[in-house]
Amino acid sequence: MNKLINEGQKPQKGKKAAIMIHGRGASAESILSLKSYLKLDDFALIAPQAAGGTWYPYSFMAPDQSNQPALTNSLQQIKEAFGSLIEGGVLASDIYLIGFSQGACLSLEFASRNAQKLGGVVAFTGGLIGEKINRDNYQGDFEGTPVLISGSQQDMHVPLERMQESETLLTKHGAKVKLMTFADSAHTIRQEEIDWVNQHILG
């Protein structure tokens, strides 16, 4: 049984909702703590929990088969969370995906495999998943969905090149992408990223 934590408002038509996806070694509770910084007061919040705190065992750029079946199972878990919001009456265009690190990668991967008009996608330090980006995995049209891809220019886990490749692919599929990179090497979420999301995606 997959674990989901629900907080905030009740999912319903005309209301916004966010699926918040934690990083490796973290928890649903930890990613939900971002509600203290992001403008999510009026949102229904849903946070899936990865088994053992890890969505997939190796680097997001490891050979594809090495992260199976965990990656497929994790994407299914996000699909179920998304589906539960739709069943609750929330429109896809009012659903936001917000993730950090592994959660950011999963947010981008799920959104791009199912591209449609969403409320927004926030990928704090992440990129599309795979040893190489397989363009055959991605379909649909984001129809102008705002997307943030952000992180360090020298992050030890997420190379700048993969963030740039992800920006290119999402843009090709109709997303309005902001790539925000930083000169420091910190694997974290910065105040500048929070401020940009609050103003341009959640505002």
Side-chain angles (χ1 to χ4, degrees):
M1 184 77 173
N2 290 333
K3 179 181 175 184
L4 287 173
I5 296 180
N6 294 274
E7 290 193 3
Q9 305 299 312
K10 180 180 178 181
Q12 56 187 293
K13 188 173 182 179
K15 295 288 188 179
K16 295 180 179 180
I19 300 171
M20 304 183 73
I21 310 173
H22 67 78
R24 184 190 297 271
S27 66
E29 290 88 353
S30 67
I31 195 72
L32 282 167
S33 69
L34 280 177
K35 67 184 181 182
S36 299
Y37 305 94
L38 296 172
K39 291 182 178 179
L40 295 170
D41 290 348
D42 297 329
F43 283 62
L45 304 177
I46 184 168
Q49 174 65 54
T54 301
W55 294 109
Y56 41 87
Y58 300 104
S59 163
F60 80 114
M61 293 178 64
D64 295 347
Q65 286 306 311
S66 65
N67 277 321
Q68 293 296 349
L71 176 58
T72 295
N73 293 338
S74 295
L75 288 168
Q76 179 62 29
Q77 203 170 335
I78 305 309
K79 181 179 180 180
E80 290 171 5
F82 191 92
S84 73
L85 292 171
I86 296 294
E87 289 173 10
V90 182
L91 301 175
S93 57
D94 285 329
I95 297 177
Y96 296 69
L97 293 160
I98 301 172
F100 170 65
S101 193
Q102 267 203 346
C105 297
L106 208 56
S107 295
L108 289 173
E109 190 70 17
F110 174 79
S112 298
R113 288 182 182 224
N114 304 276
Q116 58 193 294
K117 177 64 175 175
L118 300 171
V121 181
V122 179
F124 293 126
T125 307
L128 291 170
I129 298 172
E131 185 173 18
K132 295 181 179 179
I133 291 179
N134 181 356
R135 287 163 176 77
D136 292 338
N137 287 338
Y138 310 112
Q139 56 188 348
D141 187 342
F142 279 108
E143 299 179 39
T145 297
V147 177
L148 174 70
I149 301 174
S150 59
S152 167
Q153 296 168 11
Q154 46 189 343
D155 189 275
M156 68 177 68
H157 303 292
V158 182
L160 174 60
E161 182 180 5
R162 178 53 60 92
M163 289 192 285
Q164 292 169 331
E165 290 174 336
S166 301
E167 175 196 19
T168 298
L169 187 138
L170 268 75
T171 299
K172 181 179 178 181
H173 283 268
K176 186 176 181 182
V177 185
K178 169 70 173 179
L179 178 62
M180 182 181 291
T181 63
F182 300 87
D184 63 72
S185 59
H187 190 74
T188 188
I189 301 173
R190 302 159 187 80
Q191 187 62 47
E192 296 98 315
E193 297 165 83
I194 294 289
D195 291 344
W196 194 92
V197 170
N198 280 335
Q199 181 177 353
H200 297 283
I201 295 184
L202 302 177

